[in-house]
Structures are given as structure tokens and as C-alpha cells.
């Protein structure tokens, strides 16, 4: 009987130990699940914070681009905005380093960008006030550019929701900047090429005998542009022969100029004082001893301030 009692006691002790171990294991399992859940919440929060920071930086980037374009057109200082844009791009690169991301730090950065944008809004108001007379003269231009403005507004709206195509974001901004810059370029219209004989007799019509062509006089008008500066402009002319080669003779004024970042030859050039009144311009090119006009079609291109501003042609028979 005594041995049976001892056996029962041992079994009860073992059962008690198993209950305690089961409780401990259950507690550890519950604690592990709780820790995993907390860790998942932290990760989800981190992801949301990163996505929010990217969207906010994209939105600020589009506003910076717009402010830079607007202030540049009005003649204001854009150095601080360009510096802020460079800093914003660096901050967006750092977003890829998830382990070092700090929401608090990015909240401070974004607050600084917002403060700068607010200050530039005030500067824009002042610039527009100072340029009131110019704005009044630009009514027709603003009407023509309404489509561009609508594209810009639509671009800003779409960028706020853009989280998966940064490359597309940059491409559209470059296009917008190019359009704004192109709007201030000169435009040559009514481009004609006249033939001048060795006796200085001029002929028009666009088709000339080779024996009657000693010089080429190209005439055109510059279309008024309210946002183009009224200063000295250099107009470069390139004349292509029937084979597509540019007529070039340094002895009569041909040379080189920068076009799209590349050194390019020109046939002749002329400096003019742009008056913004539809003025007429003429450029004369004497062929020199090195050039003989052959039969065929000749093409003319005009450039100024890095842009192609007009074109024309003539034929030699």
C-alpha cells in the first residue's frame, strides 16, 4: 500500500510538472505571436511612412519645377530653388536606405521645403506686380499658352498620385521646361532667298540660273514675342547644297557656333537689335572663289539663341 501511495504521488508530481511546462510553453508561444504581430505593425507603419514621404517629395518637386519656370520667365533669382531641388533629389535617393529612414527627420525637411515654397509664392506676387505692364502686353501670349498651362496643372495633379514611375516624372518635367523655354525664342517668317548677280541686280522667285547667282540675299521677318528680351541677337544661317553639305567659306564670313552643345558650322551670320515689332532682316552671303553654285535644290536654316527659328529654300538651274 505504501509503495502504491508513493507511485500515485510521483504520477501527480509528473502531471503537475507537465501542466506547468505546458503553461510556460503556451505563454512563450503567445508572447512570440504578440511580438511577431507588433513587429509586423512596425514594418507596415515603416512602409506607409516611406510611401507618404515619397509622395510628398514628388509633390514638392513638381511645385519646385513650376516655381523655377515661373520665376525664370519673370526674371527672378532661382538659385535657392535650384539648390532646394538638388537637395530634394538627394533626399529621395536616401529614401532607398530603409534602415536609416527617419520620419521625424523627413518631416523637418518637408517643412523646410514648404516654407521655401511659401516664400517664393510671395516673391512671385512681387515679380508679377513689378511686371504688370509686361503681363498686360502678354494677354495674347497667355491665351496661346493656355493649353500648356492646362498640361502643367494636369501634370502637377498626376504627380501627386505617382508612386511607381519616377523616370516618367522627370521626363515630363523636362518636356515642360523645354516648352516654357521655347516660348521665348524668336520666330522667322516669310523666309525668301533672292539671287544677286555680280552687277548687284536682284532676282526673286526662288529659281535662278547659276550664271546669275553671285550672292544670296535671305530676307525674313521676326515675329513679335512679348517675353523675348529686346537686346542684341545673333542670327546664324546655314545653306545646304544639293548634296546636303553646308556652304562654308571662312574668307567671306563663314564660321562655327554652338548648337545643342555641339560645335556646328554656319554659312553666314548677322547681329541685330531685336525690336519686337515684326522687323525685317536680311543676310547676304557672297559665294567667294571657293564656292560654285551647282544645279539643284538648296535648303536654308536659321538659328538664334540655340533654337531653329525658320527655314526656306531656293533652286539653281
Amino acid at each position: 500500500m505504501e509503495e502504491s501511495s508513493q507511485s500515485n504521488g510521483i504520477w501527480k508530481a509528473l502531471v503537475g510538472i507537465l501542466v506547468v511546462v505546458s503553461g510556460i510553453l503556451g505563454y512563450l508561444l503567445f508572447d512570440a505571436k504578440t511580438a511577431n504581430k507588433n513587429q509586423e505593425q512596425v514594418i507596415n507603419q515603416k512602409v506607409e511612412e516611406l510611401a507618404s514621404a515619397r509622395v510628398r517629395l514628388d509633390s514638392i518637386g513638381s511645385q519646385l519645377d513650376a516655381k523655377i519656370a515661373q520665376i525664370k520667365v519673370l526674371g527672378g533669382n532661382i538659385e535657392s530653388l535650384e539648390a532646394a531641388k538638388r537637395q530634394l533629389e538627394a533626399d529621395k535617393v536616401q529614401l532607398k536606405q530603409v534602415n536609416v529612414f527617419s520620419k521625424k527627420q523627413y518631416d523637418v525637411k518637408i517643412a523646410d521645403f514648404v516654407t521655401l515654397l511659401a516664400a517664393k509664392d510671395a516673391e512671385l506676387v512681387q515679380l508679377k506686380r513689378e511686371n504688370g505692364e509686361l503681363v498686360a502686353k502678354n494677354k495674347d501670349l497667355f491665351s496661346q499658352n493656355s493649353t500648356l498651362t492646362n498640361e502643367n496643372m494636369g501634370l502637377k495633379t498626376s504627380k501627386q498620385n505617382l508612386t511607381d514611375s519616377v523616370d516618367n516624372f522627370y521626363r515630363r518635367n523636362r518636356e515642360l521646361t523645354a516648352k516654357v523655354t521655347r516660348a521665348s525664342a524668336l520666330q522667322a517668317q516669310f523666309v525668301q532667298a533672292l539671287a544677286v548677280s555680280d552687277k548687284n541686280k536682284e532676282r526673286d522667285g526662288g529659281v535662278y540660273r547659276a550664271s546669275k547667282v553671285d550672292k544670296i540675299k535671305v530676307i525674313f521677318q521676326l515675329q513679335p514675342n512679348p517675353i523675348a528680351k529686346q537686346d542684341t541677337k545673333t542670327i546664324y544661317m546655314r545653306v545646304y547644297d544639293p548634296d546636303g553639305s553646308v556652304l562654308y567659306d571662312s574668307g567671306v564670313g563663314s564660321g562655327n557656333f554652338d548648337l545643342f552643345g555641339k560645335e556646328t558650322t554656319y554659312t553666314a551670320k548677322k547681329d541685330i537689335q531685336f525690336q519686337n515689332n515684326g522687323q525685317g532682316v536680311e543676310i547676304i552671303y557672297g559665294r567667294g572663289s571657293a564656292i560654285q553654285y551647282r544645279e539643284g535644290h538648296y535648303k536654308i536654316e536659321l538659328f538664334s539663341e540655340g533654337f531653329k527659328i525658320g527655314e526656306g529654300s531656293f533652286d539653281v538651274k
Side-chain angles (χ1 to χ4, degrees):
M1 292 294 293
E2 184 177 346
E3 290 180 357
S4 177
S5 297
Q6 289 179 349
S7 177
N8 289 335
I10 292 173
W11 279 109
K12 290 180 179 179
L14 289 175
V15 171
I17 291 172
L18 289 174
V19 170
V20 171
V21 170
S22 298
I24 292 173
L25 290 176
Y27 173 78
L28 292 175
L29 180 60
F30 174 77
D31 186 60
K33 289 183 178 180
T34 301
N36 288 336
K37 183 177 181 180
N38 291 338
Q39 185 178 12
E40 183 179 353
Q41 291 175 346
V42 170
I43 292 173
N44 290 338
Q45 181 179 357
K46 195 81 168 182
V47 171
E48 291 177 359
E49 291 174 351
L50 280 168
S52 176
R54 177 176 292 278
V55 171
R56 294 170 72 187
L57 288 177
D58 283 345
S59 176
I60 289 172
S62 67
Q63 295 179 59
L64 283 172
D65 286 334
K67 293 293 185 297
I68 289 172
Q70 292 170 1
I71 292 178
K72 187 175 183 180
V73 169
L74 294 174
N77 190 317
I78 60 174
E79 290 182 2
S80 60
L81 285 172
E82 289 180 331
K85 184 62 186 298
R86 290 192 294 271
Q87 181 60 50
L88 182 140
E89 297 305 328
D91 292 339
K92 290 174 69 174
V93 171
Q94 289 183 352
L95 278 178
K96 298 178 181 179
Q97 302 175 11
V98 179
N99 293 334
V100 297
F101 171 76
S102 169
K103 181 179 182 298
K104 182 177 180 180
Q105 181 183 14
Y106 270 80
D107 285 343
V108 172
K109 290 176 180 289
I110 290 171
D112 290 341
F113 286 131
V114 171
T115 299
L116 175 62
L117 287 171
K120 291 302 177 181
D121 281 336
E123 182 178 330
L124 269 173
V125 172
Q126 179 65 22
L127 285 171
K128 289 178 180 179
R129 184 179 299 112
E130 294 173 353
N131 288 275
E133 182 178 348
L134 179 60
V135 172
K137 293 179 181 180
N138 285 345
K139 286 183 178 179
D140 291 339
L141 181 63
F142 291 153
S143 176
Q144 295 172 10
N145 288 343
S146 61
T147 300
L148 179 61
T149 301
N150 290 336
E151 290 177 1
N152 187 18
M153 294 301 295
L155 183 60
K156 291 179 182 178
T157 301
S158 63
K159 287 176 184 174
Q160 292 178 357
N161 299 321
L162 185 61
T163 58
D164 58 352
S165 182
V166 175
D167 290 340
N168 183 57
F169 170 82
Y170 290 136
R171 178 183 61 78
R172 295 188 66 183
N173 268 281
R174 286 195 297 269
E175 291 174 355
L176 176 61
T177 301
K179 288 180 181 180
V180 173
T181 303
R182 189 68 180 86
S184 65
L186 301 181
Q187 292 291 331
Q189 55 184 356
F190 310 123
V191 181
Q192 299 182 58
L194 308 181
V196 182
S197 69
D198 55 1
K199 297 181 180 180
N200 289 326
K201 182 176 181 180
E202 295 183 1
R203 292 178 171 82
D204 60 12
V207 181
Y208 312 108
R209 294 183 180 276
S211 61
K212 302 296 183 180
V213 183
D214 183 65
K215 300 176 182 179
I216 295 296
K217 177 190 283 189
V218 176
I219 60 175
F220 53 91
Q221 290 183 343
L222 292 176
Q223 184 176 353
N225 187 337
I227 65 174
K229 293 183 179 179
Q230 295 187 33
D231 56 8
T232 300
K233 311 285 188 185
T234 300
I235 299 177
Y236 299 93
M237 178 176 72
R238 305 187 80 200
V239 180
Y240 299 84
D241 67 14
D243 295 329
S245 300
V246 176
L247 299 187
Y248 180 91
D249 189 342
S250 59
V252 292
S254 300
N256 299 320
F257 73 114
D258 181 79
L259 181 62
F260 310 127
K262 181 180 179 181
E263 187 173 348
T264 306
T265 59
Y266 64 84
T267 305
K269 72 173 183 176
K270 186 168 186 178
D271 294 329
I272 60 120
Q273 185 65 34
F274 181 62
Q275 301 172 1
N276 201 19
N277 61 358
Q279 69 200 80
V281 180
E282 64 179 40
I283 302 178
I284 298 177
Y285 174 68
R287 68 185 181 181
S289 59
I291 301 297
Q292 298 295 326
Y293 291 103
R294 298 181 290 106
E295 292 185 2
H297 184 70
Y298 290 74
K299 180 181 177 182
I300 301 168
E301 292 182 340
L302 300 171
F303 299 87
S304 182
E305 297 180 321
F307 293 101
K308 181 178 177 181
I309 65 172
E311 60 182 21
S313 65
F314 65 95
D315 293 281
V316 174
K317 62 179 183 178

